[in-house]
Amino acid sequence: MSAEAHYTPYHPRWYRRRVSVWWWLQNRAYAGFVLRELTSVFVAFFAGVTLWQLRTLAQGPDAYARFLACLGTPLFVALHAVAFLFVLFHSITWFNLAPKAVVVRLSGKRVPDWVVVGLNYAAWLVLSGAVALIVLRGR
Amino acid sequence: MPRSITPFLWLLFSAGGTVAALLFPIHILLTGLAVPLGWVNAPSYESVLGLVRNPVARLYLFVFVSLPLFHWAHRFRYTLYDGLQVKHLTALIVVFCYGTALAGTVMAAYLLWTIP
């Protein structure tokens, strides 16, 4: 040990309290925020499933049958059930935030928020119905 | 990340979020739950292939896969920053997120182009 004391200069900017990785569980609003952000993981998951489906479709009927069999396993049914709930949460939060993201004006007047939200939900219903009709038509 | 492409990434994020919000629930319900659980009869291989051969359906599927992947990339990037507090890994996260989205986009284009 040296005789002279060694001091670290005082740096108030350096002081940071460690925040737990689970900071978002302490508050409902924070938990909702992080759950909303995590919906994107299930969006990517299903985009991946769609790519997989297209690949097996290109490979032929046998590969496609194996793909369908795979989707029938409990693991994939459970994954899709969870993914469905998360994506539903994404849709609802996305539509409800739409009037804050895009301000629509008609002849100088701002279209009320509930109209913008309502149009989003209406488009959702119409498109979902159209997709179901087209996909299930050719049985 | 160059500042100039940030608005473009944000545009992809919001376009992808809209596509996912409008179309993903019904597709997950049909493909992931209704068909595997036997609520509806599975469309035959030939009918699905016939559908995908339609140019409009190909464009639809390309948008359906690509834009939501960029939506994920943008959102997940910030989830990693905030959730795991790994701001020092910025470059790695950016490459991983947008790189995955880009790879998925290329794969979708290739598959949709080559399906007979």
Side-chain angles (χ1 to χ4, degrees), chain A residues 29-68:
Chain A
Y30 296 164
F33 163 75
V34 171
L35 285 180
R36 201 188 71 203
E37 299 297 284
L38 285 179
T39 61
S40 66
V41 174
F42 294 93
V43 167
F45 163 73
F46 192 67
V49 170
T50 305
L51 279 176
W52 179 25
Q53 180 178 22
L54 288 176
R55 213 172 89 87
T56 57
L57 206 57
Q59 284 169 342
D62 294 342
Y64 191 69
R66 280 197 298 277
F67 164 77
L68 286 184

Side-chain angles (χ1 to χ4, degrees), chain A residues 1-23:
Chain A
M1 266 177 70
S2 65
E4 278 178 77
H6 180 74
Y7 294 106
T8 307
Y10 176 58
H11 280 286
R13 281 193 309 120
W14 284 5
Y15 178 70
R16 291 280 192 281
R17 265 190 67 192
R18 290 291 296 169
V19 179
S20 157
V21 167
W22 305 105
W23 57 268

Side-chain angles (χ1 to χ4, degrees), chain A residues 19 23 40 57 90-91 94 124 138, chain B residues 17-18 21 45 47 72 82 85:
Chain A
V19 179
W23 57 268
S40 66
L57 206 57
H90 164 69
S91 298
W94 193 263
W124 189 28
Chain B
T18 304
Y45 173 78
S47 74
W72 162 79
D82 300 332
Q85 301 161 29

Side-chain angles (χ1 to χ4, degrees), chain A:
Chain A
M1 266 177 70
S2 65
E4 278 178 77
H6 180 74
Y7 294 106
T8 307
Y10 176 58
H11 280 286
R13 281 193 309 120
W14 284 5
Y15 178 70
R16 291 280 192 281
R17 265 190 67 192
R18 290 291 296 169
V19 179
S20 157
V21 167
W22 305 105
W23 57 268
W24 47 280
L25 282 179
Q26 291 155 9
N27 178 317
R28 271 180 69 120
Y30 296 164
F33 163 75
V34 171
L35 285 180
R36 201 188 71 203
E37 299 297 284
L38 285 179
T39 61
S40 66
V41 174
F42 294 93
V43 167
F45 163 73
F46 192 67
V49 170
T50 305
L51 279 176
W52 179 25
Q53 180 178 22
L54 288 176
R55 213 172 89 87
T56 57
L57 206 57
Q59 284 169 342
D62 294 342
Y64 191 69
R66 280 197 298 277
F67 164 77
L68 286 184
C70 233
L71 288 201
T73 57
L75 172 70
F76 271 95
V77 171
L79 275 173
H80 277 123
V82 175
F84 179 69
L85 291 177
F86 267 87
V87 171
L88 216 53
F89 186 54
H90 164 69
S91 298
I92 292 165
T93 51
W94 193 263
F95 296 147
N96 291 349
L97 276 175
K100 290 188 178 62
V102 187
V103 175
V104 186
R105 286 174 196 282
L106 267 186
S107 58
K109 278 196 170 173
R110 186 175 170 175
V111 175
D113 285 3
W114 66 267
V115 176
V116 177
V117 174
L119 284 175
N120 272 286
Y121 278 97
W124 189 28
L125 277 181
V126 170
L127 284 171
S128 298
V131 167
L133 271 180
I134 291 170
V135 171
L136 298 178
R137 190 189 49 185
R139 267 184 277 171

Side-chain angles (χ1 to χ4, degrees), chain B residues 26-57:
Chain B
I26 183 67
H27 276 277
I28 295 181
L29 188 65
L30 289 173
T31 309
L33 296 171
V35 168
L37 295 175
W39 299 344
V40 296
N41 291 325
S44 68
Y45 173 78
E46 286 73 22
S47 74
V48 178
L49 191 62
L51 200 58
V52 174
R53 280 195 177 126
N54 183 320
V56 178

